[in-house]
Amino acid sequence: MAFLEYKNVRIAGIAAGVPETIVSNYTLQPGIDISSDYTAKAFVETTGVEERRCSDTLCTSDLCFAAAEKLIADLGWDKKEIEALIFVSQTADYILPATACILQDRLGLSRDCYAEDVALGCSGWVYGLSNVASLVATGSIRKALLLVGDAKKRAKMNRDPLFGDAGTATAIEYVEGAKGFQFHFGSDGSGYDAIIIPDGGSRNQVSPESFQLHEYDGKMKHRVQTFMKGMDVFSFGITTAPKSIKKLGERFGFDYQANDYFIFHQANMKMNNQIVKKLKLAPEKVPSCMYQFGNTSSASIPLTIASQLKGKIEDKPTKFICCGFGVGLSWGTVAFETNNLVIPDIVNVKDNEDNYGYQL
């Protein structure tokens, strides 16, 4: 079983950056973003996603950069002391090089900085947190950044109204005696095609045929867009998340109900309500931001904390359980405690002229 524990490490702060453009799902036109027999009002009532933040020019790295700059400033950290940067996203700047290397330079961090990309989706923040914690827990690296998110920049597609763009920054530091993190992870690759972009990798390289539109689940899509088996994903989420949380409590000997907040990947309202019901959680312990930002993939857990708990938890000990689940299929659950947590205001990022785009 994939259980991990890291001590002497804590989260110092969490920040988020989102595009300034707000898109309302109440104004969706049938047949464009949703199937023709499904009204915008019905979509909102089913998913809980009233509006999202979207941009045609911003990359995930732009949003993470803005969040990181704000968080570093509010923490008062010296950039030269940040020795590791991990970037988690399904929408990296390039196939290569690693976006983490680009962000190391863009943020002005030391050239002695450890930089790594992780290609994960909805479970990505928990996986990334484990990676960073493993680096920091020994004390060899004392300050690190976890930059996580997704943005469908210039996707040349009708956007799925479930998804929004966001980038987040989580600051992790070595602190002697800190309680640290307790993790449970799992994966089921037999369901790899439950959420998939069929073309664009080495197995199915992009060709002119990749952009031919076909009807899929009532929508016109091409093979460089995300295909999802909705019922398979729904069944996976409502089954796996509760089991993972219970296993974590059993392994490390705590009552999961005693935690202050439960932050789940913001998949959709119906799925998350089922998870809450199975775990018998009080609704006030389960904040959500999907109504405001939609499903933001790996950014959804830290974005929920930054947008919903600012002003409520910063100056007092707060116990969390966070669970991410989705593409892979993969899942990860983490238990941790915060105190003196820095949460800056959400950064609204303006569209740019893509100054960091490579030109041949």
Side-chain angles (χ1 to χ4, degrees):
M1 303 294 288
F3 292 100
L4 298 170
E5 183 173 22
Y6 300 105
K7 296 184 178 181
N8 301 318
V9 57
R10 67 180 288 267
I11 294 177
I14 297 175
V18 296
E20 65 176 359
T21 302
I22 300 174
V23 178
S24 171
N25 277 350
Y26 286 111
T27 60
L28 294 174
Q29 297 299 313
I32 298 178
D33 289 294
I34 54 179
S35 57
S36 58
D37 59 348
Y38 198 43
T39 67
K41 182 179 179 182
F43 177 86
V44 172
E45 290 175 350
T46 300
T47 64
V49 182
E50 298 181 10
E51 62 185 36
R52 300 158 291 129
R53 300 297 185 94
C54 301
S55 171
D56 290 329
T57 67
L58 294 167
C59 290
T60 306
S61 63
D62 299 319
L63 301 173
C64 288
F65 170 79
E69 284 279 74
K70 178 63 173 172
L71 183 57
I72 292 168
D74 284 14
L75 285 168
W77 276 13
D78 182 346
K79 289 185 176 182
K80 295 179 181 178
E81 296 179 347
I82 299 172
E83 299 175 287
L85 186 160
I86 290 182
F87 176 77
V88 182
S89 182
Q90 299 169 120
T91 48
D93 282 11
Y94 306 100
I95 294 175
L96 59 86
T99 304
C101 296
I102 298 171
L103 284 166
Q104 169 271 324
D105 176 68
R106 191 173 175 187
L107 286 166
L109 307 186
S110 166
R111 289 187 178 181
D112 291 323
C113 181
Y114 177 108
E116 177 185 26
D117 276 13
V118 177
L120 275 174
C122 312
S123 62
W125 185 77
V126 182
Y127 271 85
L129 190 63
S130 173
N131 287 2
V132 176
S134 70
L135 297 173
V136 176
T138 64
S140 297
I141 291 175
R142 304 186 74 88
K143 292 181 179 180
L145 289 177
L146 172 61
L147 305 184
V148 173
D150 270 305
K152 305 296 191 294
K153 175 198 174 225
R154 295 186 187 132
K156 306 299 184 185
M157 65 180 76
N158 293 329
R159 283 178 177 266
D160 189 316
L162 181 63
F163 297 97
D165 298 342
T168 63
T170 304
I172 297 100
E173 64 181 354
Y174 177 85
V175 176
E176 186 72 33
K179 295 180 180 179
F181 305 95
Q182 297 165 329
F183 294 95
H184 173 248
F185 294 104
S187 58
D188 180 8
S190 68
Y192 79 95
D193 61 347
I195 308 172
I196 189 171
I197 298 176
D199 290 5
S202 296
R203 188 160 302 278
N204 299 319
Q205 297 187 22
V206 172
S207 68
E209 289 73 28
S210 299
F211 297 95
Q212 292 180 0
L213 293 174
H214 303 276
E215 185 173 346
Y216 179 84
D217 196 23
K219 306 172 187 177
M220 299 304 294
K221 310 193 81 167
H222 58 67
R223 291 175 57 86
V224 191
Q225 294 175 248
T226 302
F227 286 69
M228 181 165 61
K229 297 177 180 179
M231 291 309 300
D232 289 357
V233 175
F234 184 87
S235 177
F236 159 75
I238 66 172
T239 302
T240 302
K243 287 183 178 180
S244 181
I245 289 171
K246 291 177 181 179
K247 286 179 180 179
L248 187 71
E250 291 169 1
R251 175 60 179 260
F252 292 104
F254 64 80
D255 177 8
Y256 73 85
Q257 293 276 7
N259 283 268
D260 298 304
Y261 290 104
F262 296 79
I263 314 297
F264 297 105
H265 164 55
Q266 302 292 283
N268 66 64
M269 182 177 65
K270 182 176 286 188
M271 182 185 293
N272 285 27
N273 284 348
Q274 285 293 317
I275 294 170
V276 171
K277 184 178 180 180
K278 283 192 171 189
L279 290 169
K280 299 179 180 179
L281 302 177
E284 60 270 19
K285 285 189 171 186
V286 191
S288 172
C289 72
M290 71 180 76
Y291 71 95
Q292 187 178 6
F293 297 106
N295 181 333
T296 55
S297 188
S298 56
S300 68
I301 292 175
L303 178 60
T304 300
I305 295 173
S307 64
Q308 305 303 306
L309 297 182
K310 179 176 172 59
K312 299 179 181 179
I313 64 170
E314 290 94 319
D315 59 353
K316 61 182 180 181
T318 307
K319 293 182 178 180
F320 285 91
I321 286 183
C322 300
C323 181
F325 46 88
V327 63
L329 295 167
S330 66
W331 62 94
T333 301
V334 59
F336 61 91
E337 183 175 317
T338 63
N339 196 10
N340 298 317
L341 185 69
V342 172
I343 306 178
D345 291 334
I346 301 292
V347 182
N348 292 296
V349 185
K350 295 182 178 180
D351 284 350
N352 63 27
E353 295 300 323
D354 200 13
N355 294 326
Y356 279 81
Y358 176 76
Q359 302 295 328
L360 291 174

